[in-house]
Amino acid sequence: MVPAELLIGSRWQASAGSGRTRDVTSPFDGNTVGTVGVACPEDVEVALAAAERGAAVWRRTPAHERMTILLRAAELADQRAVEIARTISSESGKTITEATGEASRSGDLIRLAAFEGAQLYGETLPLDANRGTGQDKIGFTLRQPCGVVVAITPFNYPALLVLHKLAPALAAGNAVVLKPATSTPLTALALAECFVDAGLPEGVLSVLVGSGGVLGDALVTDPRVRKISFTGSTATGGHIAGVAGVKKLSLELGASCPVVVLPDADIELAASAVALGGYVNAGQVCISVQRVITHPDVTADFLDALVPRVKAIRTGDPSSPETTMGSLITTAEAERVERAIAQARADGARVLTGGERDGTVVTPAVVADVDPDSPFSQQELFGPAVAVSSAADWESAIAQANGTAYGLGAGIFTSDVAGAVRAIREIDAGSVHINWTPLWRADLMPYGGLKGSGYGKEGPRAAVSEMTEVKTVVLHGRPW
């Protein structure tokens, strides 16, 4: 159990200002699952000052030593995976099965980042190609850490989304100030404790728990911060981009991910994949299936295959192995999703199953005959419901797939290789999956969106690149 204190500069300590703590409660039953310290603006200043000092030490630490510390942290994450899984489930409402899967990936994700952080290759520059002045010079590039990184993470994957920012930043030699979601801070603190216990030097890591309204602008506008990595809403991401100033930004924002089902698709495969990809973590996933676009020839068969699979999803106590879908993060979020489904019905769509709310649990819903231009398709739902619309031909299907402000992930089901290639080229999304839904991610792959879904890439190799800067070096010899 992590202390009910703040982690500032890799050391547990009381708040410099507020001295307050707060209880973290289960979204499913309201029970208290832990207590955390609450940061205030004074703590931001202490953490950033510590990070500035820590970054100066950490960047000079040889890559093999940084890698050794991260590998120790990975081992600790493995050893503590069962407890971390319980923490994930209890504070997020995620099923214990899903939480166990998330926790079990933590150690390997840290290892991937540790390796990539030790592979900061540069390149040689062909200066002799510069007419008349380059023959006596040698040029090359070096990568160096940005310095101080601010990482801001959401509630829905409280281990993986923390580690996709924290581990690459540390591996590349940066100091990090992490602000996790206020609803799921315990997982972030437990993972940070792995790094501290592994021997992370003083100053290198801080975790500030508190309101984004209180802490956010103080963190992202500070000139000592060179890099910001944010995952969350498009509105908040836009605000950060507007106030951050001259800094490197990675923004992973909203989505309304489409799946296209063509007439030559394997309908049973498509239905099985959507029944999984639309409802994992109660649909609270950026790459969750929100829209399915079917050809009229197969719409009825697809719905006949999908609805019974969705009805078979078992809601209930997230701590029970029998539960296959847990709760939403708050009652307010559950009420929002319930209203969105009801509005879709009022707008003429058919709710074939689900959509009822009990506290923070909304039964998984399939909503057919959805207008592609309606809010239910256009706006991010972030809940356990899938909208099904039809498109009569290839061009209109692709137009629907591309027809929102977002472009994070997409899927297409087809047995036609030529059609798959065309989809890969024409769908505007950061990842395109053939014969699966966008709800699939290997931790090593580049991950990020197009259009309103943000910019910058995660995945250890991509993130290490984002967390470093390139320096050009020229050695001047005597003229020949």
Side-chain angles (χ1 to χ4, degrees):
M1 180 69 71
V2 298
E5 294 179 309
L6 302 177
L7 180 67
I8 297 182
S10 309
R11 301 292 179 263
W12 299 103
Q13 55 190 275
S15 168
S18 72
R20 295 191 300 112
T21 63
R22 74 168 183 84
D23 292 336
V24 180
T25 58
S26 162
F28 177 70
D29 57 20
N31 289 336
T32 298
V33 297
T35 302
V36 294
V38 178
C40 63
E42 292 91 336
D43 298 311
V44 172
E45 172 56 35
V46 175
L48 289 175
E52 194 172 33
R53 295 189 300 270
V57 173
W58 192 231
R59 68 178 289 175
R60 295 185 179 96
T61 303
H64 70 89
E65 292 184 17
R66 296 199 305 263
M67 185 175 184
T68 296
I69 291 173
L70 264 67
L71 291 177
R72 286 195 206 113
E75 288 299 315
L76 292 173
D78 287 342
Q79 294 168 16
R80 301 171 187 180
V82 172
E83 183 57 37
I84 291 172
R86 292 195 194 102
T87 300
I88 293 169
S89 180
S90 63
E91 71 175 348
S92 73
K94 185 175 297 192
T95 69
I96 190 61
T97 301
E98 291 175 354
T100 298
E102 181 175 356
S104 70
R105 289 163 59 183
S106 298
D108 284 345
L109 177 48
I110 298 170
R111 290 183 188 91
L112 284 168
F115 172 79
E116 295 296 345
Q119 307 296 307
L120 298 183
Y121 290 99
E123 60 182 1
T124 57
L125 305 175
L127 298 184
D128 60 329
N130 193 60
R131 186 188 301 271
T133 62
Q135 184 68 18
D136 59 336
K137 297 169 178 61
I138 296 292
F140 57 92
T141 63
L142 292 174
R143 283 200 168 271
Q144 67 179 41
C146 293
V148 177
V149 173
V150 163
I152 303 174
T153 57
F155 69 85
N156 56 326
Y157 280 87
L160 291 178
L161 294 183
V162 162
L163 289 176
H164 269 292
K165 301 180 188 302
L166 193 58
L170 293 174
N174 298 286
V176 185
V177 180
L178 169 67
K179 201 208 87 62
T182 55
S183 52
T184 55
L186 295 172
T187 304
L189 290 166
L191 291 166
E193 189 175 34
C194 293
F195 289 97
V196 171
D197 291 351
L200 203 65
E202 186 172 350
V204 175
L205 177 60
S206 297
V207 181
L208 300 181
V209 178
S211 163
V214 173
L215 305 178
D217 280 5
L219 286 169
V220 302
T221 60
D222 195 284
R224 289 168 291 188
V225 176
R226 180 61 185 160
K227 166 72 180 179
I228 299 166
S229 182
F230 169 80
T231 298
S233 73
T234 299
T236 303
H239 172 75
I240 291 172
V243 303
V246 182
K247 298 178 176 71
K248 295 187 74 177
L249 296 179
S250 296
L251 303 176
E252 200 275 277
L253 307 176
S256 178
C257 292
V259 165
V260 176
V261 181
L262 296 179
D264 57 5
D266 182 329
I267 298 300
E268 294 296 320
L269 174 65
S272 296
V274 170
L276 177 66
Y279 305 93
V280 164
N281 198 24
Q284 299 170 117
V285 191
C286 293
I287 47 176
S288 176
V289 179
Q290 181 168 332
R291 299 177 289 140
V292 179
I293 302 158
T294 59
H295 189 277
D297 289 350
V298 298
T299 298
D301 289 342
F302 173 77
L303 291 172
D304 286 346
L306 177 64
V307 169
R309 287 172 165 86
V310 174
K311 286 182 176 179
I313 295 172
R314 296 185 297 276
T315 61
D317 184 351
S319 66
S320 170
E322 302 302 313
T323 299
T324 55
M325 195 191 86
S327 69
L328 278 83
I329 192 66
T330 64
T331 299
E333 282 295 288
E335 290 172 343
R336 178 188 60 78
V337 171
E338 179 187 35
R339 288 194 302 271
I341 295 170
Q343 185 61 54
R345 179 190 281 116
D347 290 341
R350 294 183 296 135
V351 180
L352 303 184
T353 186
E356 298 86 16
R357 183 181 66 84
D358 181 7
T360 55
V361 175
V362 175
T363 53
V366 176
V367 185
D369 302 336
V370 175
D371 181 349
D373 295 323
S374 70
F376 199 69
S377 283
Q378 292 290 315
Q379 299 173 6
E380 182 173 40
L381 181 66
F382 224 60
V386 168
V388 181
S389 307
S390 292
D393 53 43
W394 172 267
E395 286 72 20
S396 56
I398 297 302
Q400 278 192 42
N402 290 336
T404 72
Y406 302 113
L408 183 56
I412 184 166
F413 286 84
T414 179
S415 59
D416 177 25
V417 173
V421 170
R422 186 175 175 185
I424 291 167
R425 295 193 180 280
E426 294 193 14
I427 293 178
D428 293 328
S431 62
V432 179
H433 297 258
I434 307 304
N435 290 324
W436 202 254
T437 77
L439 195 116
W440 190 92
R441 178 180 181 181
D443 288 316
L444 56 80
M445 71 189 231
Y447 176 85
L450 310 180
K451 302 193 297 185
S453 291
Y455 48 83
K457 296 293 184 182
E458 291 192 340
R461 178 171 296 182
V464 163
S465 179
E466 299 269 358
M467 304 284 189
T468 53
E469 297 181 299
V470 176
K471 178 187 292 181
T472 298
V473 179
V474 180
L475 298 177
H476 295 259
R478 293 181 179 180
W480 293 5

